[in-house]
Amino acid sequence: MSASRRKNIQTQSSKEFTGIDLKKPALYAAGLIGVKVALQHTFKEMGVIKSFQTLAHMNQEDGFDCPGCAWPDPENRSKLGEYCENGAKALAEEATSKVVDNAFFSNYSIQEISSWSDYKIGKSGRLVAPMILKPNSNHYEECTWEEAFRVISDHLHALAIPDEAIFYTSGRSSNEAAFLYGLFVRAFGTNNMPDCSNMCHESSGVGLSETLGIGKGSVKLEDFDKAEVVIVMGQNPGTNHPRMLSALEKCKSNGGKIICINPLQEAGLIRFRNPQEFSGMLLNGHGLTDIFLQVKINQDVSLLKLIEKKLAALDKVNSKVFDHEFIEKYTEGYESLLAHLDKHTEKELLELCGVDEKLIDEAVGLLAQKSKIIICWAMGLTQHKNGVENVKECVNLLLLKGSLGKPGAGTCPVRGHSNVQGDRTVGIMHYVSEELNAAIKKTFGFDAPDHEGVDVVKAIPAMHEGKAKVFVALGGNFVSAASDTEYTAKALQNCDLTVQISTKLNRSHLITGKTALILPTLGRSDKDLKDGKQRHFTVENSMGIVHQSKGFLDPISDDLKSEPEIVAGIASAYFKGNHPVKWKLLGSDYELLREKLGEVIAGFKDMNTKSKGSGYYLPNNVRDLDFSKLPNQRAQFSNTNLPIHNLKENEYLLMSIRSHDQFNTTIYGLNDRYRGIHNERRVLFMNELDMARENLKKMDIVNIMSNYDGQERKVFQFLVIPYHIPKGNLAAYFPETNPLIPIQEYADKSNTPISKSVRVSVEKA
């Protein structure tokens, strides 16, 4: 296959409809049907006996960590099963008995596979041997590990400077693999380490670091038991991290209240039928949300400012509404914040946020009386131009109420992938840390680069413009996850070499450089054996606990390597023994690797011992109310600005969302039963008033366009679905809508793509 022909490869899933079956949105999450669907997925991919045996080991202390989300495990694990429906689906995808081998690639050309939907590609099976796609070839073919490592080494040596290589990391990798990967990249001579955090919670990291001194949340799982109010913002726990519903249920049973702020009312926050309880399996379960504030897309700052203004008015009458002792002792910028709030009228803020004022007043009345408050959020807050300020406004409210550093209170950014937080903690970052560089020098004896590298949105133009020529991905599905899909695809195709370290086939294996490699690796559920002895690795969950993970299943192929072994193989081939780091030894001896990790990264000393069982918490300054690294050693109030979108008469704000049969870019099935969509993904959720304005009827077919800087981007053939969504707002699934997101539009400071607030227009197809 010629290089020019490769550029014609489709970068979107098939535009053909799959036969939609439209039903009413669900009024609860989980329950008996959730158990049924979970088992259907696992039985289909793994068989009955293997399914039950493997599920019994997932998220157990001596078992393996779920390959899905990063929600923490309770101290006392359920013997019935410590997993959710989507966790079972994630396991089924990873532990499938189907294989993608040499025969598969002989039967199917890259061009043919590229025409398949993302769902069909993902269902192809597990990768079982190293594969190479040579220049001008239309088929991958099997190669040896030695050949694969040599090809990578040759291409890296051919670069003019190290910064011509990009090394991407997915949140699926372990602490050990990510640390060794970052060590090699720095030894190679670059900080070009974009990672999936750049596309999701980077805004959280920046906003929290600048206000509280740490880019992580401060709550522990047990804080939900003690919270008086939990505010859930910009997220859909029932689909994206379903085990969070158990924590919210416990909060409710202990007398806590839940406020939900979101453009869509999600089934998981209406009612939860806990599948481990009689009331959840056979009765109605428990209602969760007490107050639902249906905010317009990206008007969270407007709503929070309005709440703060109303609380401030109450505080003038009763000075106990705000925690003035906490504000005086621990914070800076309080008076400035109040003055800034006075610049906006309540009427202005109310009109912008679009929420019923009676419901806002109800929320204000509740918050005025409480101090044990947790605010949880996900990408509904972070993936906007003002994503960092969205996070800072959440911090403002918590600081006003003194809701930090005590049981039942704090920040809770809910991470999407199972070790995305750990990857950053152990050194996957594009910016320079002098402290980390000094520790690497002391432990390993080489100088790490002292210039900043590129993140995701800067890496893509670098490849597009020919400034970067080698792309290596430690996990993930980069082309489907990134914004501006067509532009990203062309960027990858401009590379001389693309390398994917993966468990399963995905679209990024089909959008390649002139030469491409697929390096198959062990999954979370696979046993990692060395000389007959099983090894384990560690991960960090969403609340900062580091704990071990040990696979249960025999690997589907003897030709799989672990991620540390693959990284060590690349490094060893490149340096050929001419480097102070003993790469192959570190890649095989995880105990030694963890010892070295503990010497370099704060909080990881003695992790070989401490990570066993339930694991241990990493240090967190907010829990200790230690703000010594911030200006004047105080937590910082922030004066945030209102978002600006400048919508034209015919434009809407579109947010990309997941279906219930999806985790990140992995498509488990074609149903979104909580929203009433079955057997289809190409749908556009739209307010009925907007439909009337556009002269559209239910199930009409439309194209969606975005226009930034005079460049039109378009996706085709979407079915219009009337839905309870604010007027002027739209929602549709990703990655189908990722081509609409312009590469040059991203959050200030964090560079997170604006996936949740894209200006678009619609036209009948």
Side-chain angles (χ1 to χ4, degrees):
M1 185 180 186
S2 69
S4 60
R5 284 182 63 199
R6 272 196 210 160
K7 292 185 181 295
N8 294 324
I9 291 175
Q10 293 184 29
T11 57
Q12 303 175 44
S13 59
S14 171
K15 301 180 182 68
E16 296 179 1
F17 295 120
T18 46
I20 189 169
D21 180 12
L22 196 59
K23 299 179 181 179
K24 290 184 179 180
L27 297 177
Y28 68 90
L32 188 60
I33 189 172
V35 176
K36 177 183 175 182
V37 171
L39 293 179
Q40 284 176 338
H41 276 264
T42 55
F43 290 173
K44 181 178 179 181
E45 300 292 342
M46 304 166 60
V48 176
I49 295 175
K50 183 180 176 182
S51 293
F52 281 122
Q53 290 177 334
T54 311
L55 285 167
H57 285 78
M58 189 156 71
N59 293 327
Q60 299 297 333
E61 285 192 359
D62 198 42
F64 60 92
D65 195 57
C66 176
C69 80
W71 190 255
D73 306 312
E75 187 170 342
N76 298 314
R77 318 288 169 92
S78 171
K79 297 303 179 183
L80 293 176
E82 194 57 59
Y83 56 87
C84 65
E85 175 189 336
N86 273 11
K89 292 175 182 176
L91 172 63
E93 291 289 305
E94 179 176 280
T96 180
S97 58
K98 301 172 188 174
V99 298
V100 174
D101 55 12
N102 205 44
F104 175 90
F105 283 118
S106 295
N107 290 334
Y108 302 111
S109 68
I110 299 304
Q111 194 168 18
E112 181 177 356
I113 303 171
S114 296
S115 69
W116 298 353
S117 68
D118 292 291
Y119 171 61
K120 183 176 180 179
I121 292 171
K123 288 296 183 182
S124 298
R126 280 290 296 271
L127 298 159
V128 294
M131 294 286 171
I132 186 168
L133 182 65
K134 296 178 180 178
N136 302 316
S137 175
N138 200 20
H139 294 264
Y140 275 102
E141 55 191 81
E142 191 170 331
C143 66
T144 65
W145 281 103
E146 290 73 20
E147 181 184 358
F149 294 148
R150 178 186 56 77
V151 169
I152 298 171
S153 174
D154 288 347
H155 276 84
L156 292 178
H157 278 289
L159 299 177
I161 56 173
D163 285 341
E164 288 185 340
I166 306 289
F167 297 89
Y168 174 74
T169 314
S170 159
R172 189 189 65 79
S173 60
S174 64
N175 288 326
E176 291 80 359
F179 174 70
L180 192 62
Y181 190 57
L183 192 68
F184 165 65
V185 175
R186 292 182 173 90
F188 174 68
T190 184
N191 281 310
N192 285 349
M193 283 182 279
D195 73 305
C196 56
S197 283
N198 299 153
M199 294 184 279
C200 55
H201 266 293
E202 196 72 50
S203 296
S204 297
V206 174
L208 292 172
S209 295
E210 292 186 355
T211 56
L212 300 178
I214 187 171
K216 304 179 183 182
S218 65
V219 301
K220 299 180 178 180
L221 186 57
E222 55 264 33
D223 285 318
F224 282 82
D225 303 350
K226 306 175 182 68
E228 296 172 315
V229 180
V230 176
I231 302 176
V232 181
M233 301 185 66
Q235 65 177 125
N236 176 17
T239 287
N240 299 332
H241 17 263
R243 288 192 300 150
M244 180 179 174
L245 300 182
S246 298
L248 296 176
E249 179 188 45
K250 195 165 185 180
C251 172
K252 289 279 292 186
S253 66
N254 291 339
K257 301 292 184 180
I258 296 173
I259 299 173
C260 178
I261 302 174
N262 204 48
L264 297 177
Q265 187 172 29
E266 304 289 9
L269 288 168
I270 298 174
R271 181 167 291 275
F272 174 48
R273 293 185 178 179
N274 192 330
Q276 296 190 353
E277 296 179 356
F278 176 79
S279 63
M281 288 291 282
L282 300 178
L283 302 178
N284 286 328
H286 300 279
L288 293 182
T289 299
D290 295 283
I291 305 172
F292 173 50
L293 305 180
Q294 189 172 28
V295 68
K296 292 181 179 179
I297 290 175
N298 196 28
Q299 289 297 340
D300 303 273
V301 166
S302 305
L303 175 59
L304 290 172
K305 284 183 182 294
L306 180 53
I307 290 173
E308 290 160 8
K309 279 182 70 70
K310 288 177 175 286
L311 287 171
L314 292 176
D315 189 69
K316 289 181 180 179
V317 178
N318 177 5
S319 61
K320 295 182 180 180
V321 172
F322 291 159
D323 190 336
H324 291 278
E325 182 179 350
F326 179 93
I327 292 169
E328 178 66 26
K329 185 175 182 180
Y330 293 109
T331 75
E332 181 175 73
Y334 171 66
E335 295 296 338
S336 177
L337 174 71
L338 294 183
H340 187 77
L341 289 174
D342 286 339
K343 293 181 178 180
H344 307 288
T345 67
E346 290 190 11
K347 181 180 179 181
E348 173 194 10
L349 297 172
L350 183 64
E351 184 176 340
L352 286 170
C353 72
V355 181
D356 186 335
E357 188 169 18
K358 290 182 180 179
L359 293 175
I360 296 175
D361 288 339
E362 186 179 345
V364 168
L366 177 62
L367 293 170
Q369 304 170 38
K370 308 298 182 181
S371 63
K372 295 180 179 179
I373 302 168
I374 295 173
I375 300 183
C376 308
W377 68 88
M379 272 73 82
L381 290 195
T382 62
Q383 291 181 325
H384 302 280
K385 182 72 172 175
N386 67 329
V388 172
E389 294 201 327
N390 283 337
V391 173
K392 288 185 173 183
E393 202 62 62
C394 292
V395 174
N396 282 345
L397 179 56
L398 293 172
L399 291 177
L400 289 170
K401 296 296 299 179
S403 299
L404 292 167
K406 61 185 176 185
T411 56
C412 183
V414 183
R415 306 285 177 168
H417 216 316
S418 53
N419 197 43
V420 61
Q421 185 162 295
D423 288 352
R424 178 58 54 85
T425 304
V426 301
I428 298 297
M429 54 193 176
H430 63 280
Y431 48 85
V432 178
S433 166
E434 293 182 1
E435 182 181 4
L436 176 61
N437 283 5
I440 289 174
K441 174 71 171 179
K442 180 179 179 181
T443 301
F444 293 105
F446 72 87
D447 292 309
D450 58 3
H451 60 281
E452 187 169 298
V454 294
D455 58 12
V456 167
V457 299
K458 297 299 174 66
I460 296 169
M463 292 185 286
H464 198 278
E465 297 165 11
K467 296 176 181 177
K469 300 174 181 178
V470 172
F471 175 83
V472 182
L474 183 64
N477 182 1
F478 188 81
V479 75
S480 292
S483 58
D484 215 337
T485 310
E486 299 292 342
Y487 183 92
T488 299
K490 291 176 182 177
L492 289 169
Q493 290 166 335
N494 283 345
C495 290
D496 293 330
L497 174 69
T498 51
V499 181
Q500 306 287 339
I501 302 170
S502 308
T503 57
K504 294 191 66 188
L505 192 68
N506 64 51
R507 192 165 295 280
S508 293
H509 301 126
L510 313 172
I511 312 298
T512 72
K514 298 177 183 64
T515 300
L517 287 165
I518 300 175
L519 307 183
T521 187
L522 296 170
R524 287 282 175 87
S525 56
D526 295 328
K527 290 179 181 177
D528 187 347
L529 301 172
K530 180 68 175 178
D531 299 327
K533 183 179 179 181
Q534 187 168 359
R535 301 176 290 193
H536 73 270
F537 58 82
T538 64
V539 296
E540 178 187 350
N541 66 33
S542 197
M543 294 179 184
I545 294 178
V546 175
H547 63 97
Q548 71 175 25
S549 178
K550 185 187 297 183
F552 172 74
L553 297 172
D554 291 328
I556 198 167
S557 166
D558 293 334
D559 214 9
L560 301 181
K561 289 184 180 292
S562 71
E563 289 180 328
E565 287 174 328
I566 294 172
V567 173
I570 295 172
S572 181
Y574 177 78
F575 286 111
K576 297 180 174 63
N578 298 317
H579 197 268
V581 177
K582 298 177 180 179
W583 298 104
K584 283 196 173 181
L585 178 60
L586 290 178
S588 62
D589 188 343
Y590 295 177
E591 300 282 322
L592 176 62
L593 180 56
R594 283 189 284 269
E595 286 180 16
K596 296 300 182 183
L597 197 164
E599 293 177 21
V600 173
I601 307 294
F604 283 86
K605 188 177 181 180
D606 299 326
M607 65 179 297
N608 274 319
T609 301
K610 295 191 298 182
S611 62
K612 295 179 180 178
S614 296
Y616 70 100
Y617 279 102
L618 290 171
N620 190 297
N621 64 286
V622 179
R623 292 173 187 154
D624 301 327
L625 294 177
D626 173 14
F627 305 113
S628 56
K629 293 186 178 180
L630 290 167
N632 298 318
Q633 301 186 359
R634 290 172 176 267
Q636 301 292 303
F637 281 104
S638 307
N639 295 336
T640 65
N641 297 309
L642 299 178
I644 299 174
H645 295 291
N646 295 323
L647 294 177
K648 297 177 181 177
E649 181 65 24
N650 66 331
E651 288 185 325
Y652 302 86
L653 276 188
L654 170 76
M655 63 177 181
S656 63
I657 58 176
R658 295 177 184 171
S659 77
H660 190 61
D661 263 357
Q662 174 181 0
F663 183 73
N664 292 340
T665 59
T666 302
I667 313 299
Y668 302 137
L670 300 178
N671 297 335
D672 190 358
R673 74 171 188 275
Y674 288 170
R675 298 190 182 105
I677 308 297
H678 294 259
N679 202 41
E680 186 56 73
R681 289 186 54 81
R682 303 191 72 80
V683 297
L684 179 67
F685 297 101
M686 196 169 191
N687 185 291
E688 290 189 86
L689 293 176
D690 291 326
M691 289 174 60
R693 174 191 175 197
E694 298 287 343
N695 194 28
L696 294 171
K697 296 181 177 62
K698 178 180 176 180
M699 305 287 278
D700 274 353
I701 302 172
V702 298
N703 302 325
I704 312 170
M705 296 83 65
S706 67
N707 193 313
Y708 286 82
D709 295 335
Q711 181 180 351
E712 183 181 84
R713 295 166 174 83
K714 183 181 289 191
V715 293
F716 302 89
Q717 303 283 302
F718 283 73
L719 294 167
V720 175
I721 305 298
Y723 209 78
H724 186 47
I725 185 172
K727 188 174 179 292
N729 292 172
L730 305 172
Y733 303 130
F734 75 88
E736 287 84 355
T737 52
N738 280 9
L740 297 171
I741 306 165
I743 190 67
Q744 75 273 19
E745 292 292 329
Y746 40 80
D748 296 330
K749 292 187 176 182
S750 71
N751 289 3
T752 300
I754 59 165
S755 305
K756 294 291 186 286
S757 55
V758 185
R759 296 194 317 267
V760 301
S761 57
V762 298
E763 66 177 12
K764 277 191 177 181

